[in-house]
Amino acid sequence: MKLLVLLAAWGAASAQLFATMGGGKFGTLSPKTGAFSSIEGQEYLAQGQQLSALNEKDGTYYILGWNEVKSVAELVGWALPDGKLQPPVTLPFNESVFVGVGQTLGWYSQDNYMIVGGRVGGQAPKGNHALGFVDPQTGHFDPLLELEGYLIPVLGGNGVYDSGSEMMLQLFGIPLTKGTAAIAYACFDMTKQGEPTLMMDDVLLGRDISAIASDPVSGLVYGVGCGMGEDGCVTILMTLDPRNQTFTNVAALDNWAGSLGSMSAIDAASRIFYWVSQKAANSSPTAPFYLVGTDMDTGATVSSPQVCSNSTNCLWSMEFYNA
């Protein structure tokens, strides 16, 4: 009964998919046709792939970007639904060669702050990385903890804040021995000064997860990744419960290759997980990409329009907004 009530609440609101693209463009994205409609005059040039988060309370789409003129990292927001670019907030982060490497972003719904992470000192990979809160109105940054330089998020901003468990989940590279590494998730408990728990057990190993999004209805984090089967990598839809740190496979997505970066979004009312992928039968670097809508309960493909012809001029981020 509780799930039905939550679904009804989400379904009562109008919903829309917003996105950013190359060239700093911001606009709406059609799940049915894959067409991107840019909101003119509201561009922000540099941004990290999928370094975005939606503030559902005040309706602002945030990204982490790099101001080339001032040479500073910034928190940048667009007010929804009109898409007006808001005054950026300067962040105390040192950029690397690639915009967005070593950074993360999420919305902390409890206090209406943004969770941000980035390198605050030294040269990569030795510089420390801080995770904490930033007030979008004042720009005040309150660090919770610092991590050693090797515990940095991978390119693509693969992180999400789960409001139900108050955990910030982030993908990291963990060095095992000299010259080798493994991928693990860290769950940062935002109620305990960001106390991290590294997930390195048998449940996680062998799962190459490349896109995750938090479902406000079930309290689970959904993701698309690669599970190792008898014939090698199999693309699967899975869930992660941050409260007990367990994975569950929902369904195999046999017709699709891995996701493009970590771009994903959830339509909570329709129970659809959106992500960007190529067809398994044609996944070359020059093959087209599709905006895939996956049923969150069955794994069935409900929509799959082409969204871009190649990876060089494609989406940078997307978020689903329930107005």
Side-chain angles (χ1 to χ4, degrees):
M1 181 63 68
K2 182 178 179 181
L3 180 61
L4 292 176
V5 172
L6 286 170
L7 283 172
W10 282 94
S14 59
Q16 199 166 16
L17 189 60
F18 287 86
T20 60
M21 290 195 72
K25 297 178 181 179
F26 178 80
T28 58
L29 185 64
S30 171
K32 293 183 178 180
T33 67
F36 176 78
S37 299
S38 176
I39 300 175
E40 299 300 324
Q42 305 299 320
E43 296 84 3
Y44 184 92
L45 185 57
Q47 53 192 282
Q49 192 175 35
Q50 196 54 20
L51 280 167
S52 63
L54 186 62
N55 184 322
E56 292 277 1
K57 186 174 182 178
D58 63 21
T60 305
Y61 187 120
Y62 285 103
I63 66 165
L64 292 186
W66 174 250
N67 188 315
E68 295 180 338
V69 176
K70 298 180 180 180
S71 295
V72 295
E74 294 181 328
L75 177 68
V76 184
W78 288 271
L80 303 180
D82 60 355
K84 184 178 180 181
L85 186 64
Q86 302 299 293
V89 171
T90 300
L91 298 173
F93 297 152
N94 300 328
E95 282 285 0
S96 60
V97 177
F98 300 101
V99 175
V101 173
Q103 296 181 352
T104 193
L105 176 64
W107 172 47
Y108 188 62
S109 54
Q110 278 75 359
D111 292 324
N112 207 32
Y113 291 156
M114 301 305 294
I115 301 171
V116 294
R119 183 164 55 88
V120 293
Q123 295 295 319
K126 296 182 179 180
N128 283 349
H129 287 67
L131 181 72
F133 301 110
V134 64
D135 185 336
Q137 303 303 318
T138 66
H140 175 70
F141 177 64
D142 183 16
L144 280 179
L145 77 162
E146 287 193 6
L147 299 171
E148 292 297 324
Y150 63 79
L151 286 173
I152 63 173
V154 295
L155 177 62
N158 203 342
V160 64
Y161 175 71
D162 177 69
S163 59
S165 62
E166 296 195 48
M167 293 277 191
M168 183 70 189
L169 279 67
Q170 181 64 59
L171 184 65
F172 287 89
I174 306 296
L176 300 179
T177 60
K178 186 176 181 180
T180 66
I183 298 300
Y185 272 94
C187 293
F188 294 95
D189 190 336
M190 305 308 288
T191 67
K192 297 180 180 179
Q193 296 298 307
E195 179 181 326
T197 300
L198 296 181
M199 300 172 61
M200 282 292 292
D201 56 16
D202 294 338
V203 175
L204 177 63
L205 294 177
R207 299 170 186 261
D208 181 15
I209 307 173
S210 50
I212 54 176
S214 181
D215 174 27
V217 175
S218 67
L220 299 175
V221 172
Y222 278 74
V224 170
C226 172
M228 298 308 296
E230 294 181 358
D231 299 324
C233 177
V234 177
T235 303
I236 55 176
L237 175 69
M238 65 187 73
T239 63
L240 166 63
D241 189 337
R243 288 157 291 200
N244 55 29
Q245 300 176 16
T246 57
F247 281 91
T248 302
N249 290 348
V250 177
L253 308 175
D254 298 327
N255 296 327
W256 300 103
S259 66
L260 175 62
S262 59
M263 284 169 288
S264 58
I266 287 179
D267 180 346
S270 301
R271 310 302 297 148
I272 300 175
F273 181 89
Y274 288 104
W275 54 299
V276 178
S277 183
Q278 293 178 304
K279 294 182 177 179
N282 186 16
S283 57
S284 68
T286 57
F289 286 85
Y290 300 85
L291 176 62
V292 184
T294 300
D295 186 294
M296 294 168 59
D297 298 317
T298 67
T301 299
V302 298
S303 60
S304 56
Q306 181 175 323
V307 70
C308 50
S309 58
N310 56 68
S311 61
T312 58
N313 186 27
C314 203
L315 300 177
W316 278 96
S317 67
M318 62 180 179
E319 301 286 344
F320 209 97
Y321 176 53
N322 292 274

